[in-house]
Amino acid sequence: RGLDDALPRGPVPTLDFQKRQIRTLAAYKLNIYSPYFEHTLQYSASPLVAPPGGSMSPADVAELVRYATQYHFTIVPEQEAFGHLHHVLKYEQYSDLAETPHGHVLSPVQPGSLALIKSWFTQIAQEFPSPWVHIGADETNELGKGQTQDLVSQRGLDQVYVDFLRQVHDAIQPTGKRILFWGDLAWHNPGLLSGLPKDMIGVPWVYDAKPDFDKYIEPFNQAGMEVWVAPGVNNWRRVYPDSNIAFVNIQHFVRDGQRLGAKGMLNTVWNDDGEGIFDEDWYGALFGAAAAWQSGESSIPQFQENYGSVFHGDFSGKISKAQAEIMAAQKLLTDNSFRFGASNALFWEDPWSREGQQDSTKLLPIVRDLRLHAENAIMLVDEARATAPLREEEALDALVLGARRIDFIGMKFQFADDMAHAYADAYSQATIPHSRAFGDLVEISNANGRCQDLRDGYTLIRELFSQAWLRDNRPYWLQNVLAQYDMAIQLWTARARQFDALRAQLPTTHTLPKAEEIGVPVVNGD
């Protein structure tokens, strides 16, 4: 009963935070923590790859393993050993091993590929006492497009994949570890699973809210292999995890895994765009713990009702209601064609861009309800905190951060539309002395103008995000996210100055440029 925690895509947790993860997850009957590495584990034979200040050292590993033992927890390292290795292969020292130049996939036809894998897993075996290691091996999309093109044309893409997995198995086998691998092959060519060593463990990963998952599990049973299931908390590319999807995914996948004889579960956390804050993920992580511990289909309503009191010590019911408000906001978005709900892309999107205008058309009819759900979540947390001291305060701060980011998405599109209409009105009145045009421009940019509101919104959330990040993670990579905040702040600052200049010259010139000349969407036929 484990959690797979992705470390290479942005945030790398501090050792103290990993300890908090272990003791918290152990309290809810998980027993495996599986840190996922692409380039963020330090190897003595590959010192070039791991980023200084953004990777786990042998000393970190030793301390984490020691600490985990006290909680009867096993650390199962996952080191990608086929695909997802761009941050290794981008270095010239390893470029000859890449299937395509400086790409993502190790080439099976290069002897150095297996030598590299063997060196990594030899060190892993010495540092991690776990009986298992995870080699990843998912999403090898470049295979056959470079160095193995001829081999693939002779033997077939899937067969080349299976042959290399078998070689990886043989290279690692002397360590005595059992090998987990992501079960992509079962999706499109399950018959080839029979060609893999029977002591390997397949881990099918599927993250949709499907009614059943039998077809993803049964191929491993038919091949005589052990299988673990891998649902997910649905945090990737989102300002806050979408539990509407995650809960059904976890509930059904774990239920079907139990019924079909799966031996384990790895609930997954991914930070695909590097903005994930783990303290936002406890809701889905703990539901995974409940589902894996309980027999059969776990109850989502029961978990939701008890979450606030069990995890936070809140007996008012307000924390559980706050999570429900976030779920309601996410559902509004997914029901209105926003596939990723309150996504990071939507948070950063310029509402006056072409894409922003397309999204604005879908968003404006629901924006009031969206904002009220998010603001209700913030209020409920504040009210619960005022009632009694609560536990896991960091997770509550992260919940409020997620709610603020969802609220800001709504505010941004709402205010951008307000400004476009205000400018259209100002333009129509510009030639009339003492008209309302000046007041329209004041609403757009002034001490309390809409441009300043959006600038201030990004500024506040930047500070809260930075605080949340540094509670959980090392400073490494944080600046990449903060740079996006800075760009957004500069955008609305520059727009504010532009409108200030137009307002200053209006009493003299009684003219304004057309909306499209200054990047404002055209409304009302202007």
Side-chain angles (χ1 to χ4, degrees), residues 204-207 229-233 236 246 249-251 253-254 265-270 288:
W205 56 278
V206 186
Y207 303 137
V229 296
V233 304
W236 41 91
N249 171 252
I250 293 167
Q251 179 192 55
F253 208 174
V254 174
M265 176 210 70
L266 284 178
N267 198 8
T268 56
V269 172
W270 301 106

Side-chain angles (χ1 to χ4, degrees), residues 154-206:
Q154 297 166 20
R155 295 185 55 76
L157 181 65
D158 290 342
Q159 189 61 59
V160 171
Y161 175 90
V162 167
D163 290 345
F164 190 62
L165 248 62
R166 198 160 44 230
Q167 293 175 57
V168 172
H169 168 272
D170 293 345
I172 296 175
Q173 192 175 35
T175 66
K177 306 290 189 181
R178 289 196 67 188
I179 296 172
L180 296 135
F181 70 100
W182 294 122
D184 298 32
L185 191 64
W187 297 351
H188 52 85
N189 202 338
L192 285 178
L193 289 173
S194 61
L196 291 173
K198 295 296 184 286
D199 62 345
M200 296 183 76
I201 301 171
V203 188
W205 56 278
V206 186

Side-chain angles (χ1 to χ4, degrees), residues 85-96 98-105 142:
L85 289 172
H86 171 69
H87 291 299
V88 176
L89 301 175
K90 69 183 180 184
Y91 288 102
E92 206 58 33
Q93 186 176 111
Y94 300 101
S95 61
D96 290 344
E99 172 69 8
T100 57
H102 305 106
H104 302 260
V105 177
E142 295 171 2

Side-chain angles (χ1 to χ4, degrees), residues 282-302:
W282 289 110
Y283 203 37
L286 297 187
F287 182 65
W293 176 256
Q294 297 163 1
S295 297
E297 183 174 288
S298 53
S299 169
I300 294 173
Q302 183 180 30

Side-chain angles (χ1 to χ4, degrees), residues 230-241:
V233 304
N234 220 272
N235 69 312
W236 41 91
R237 301 191 289 280
R238 290 160 175 78
V239 302
Y240 198 79

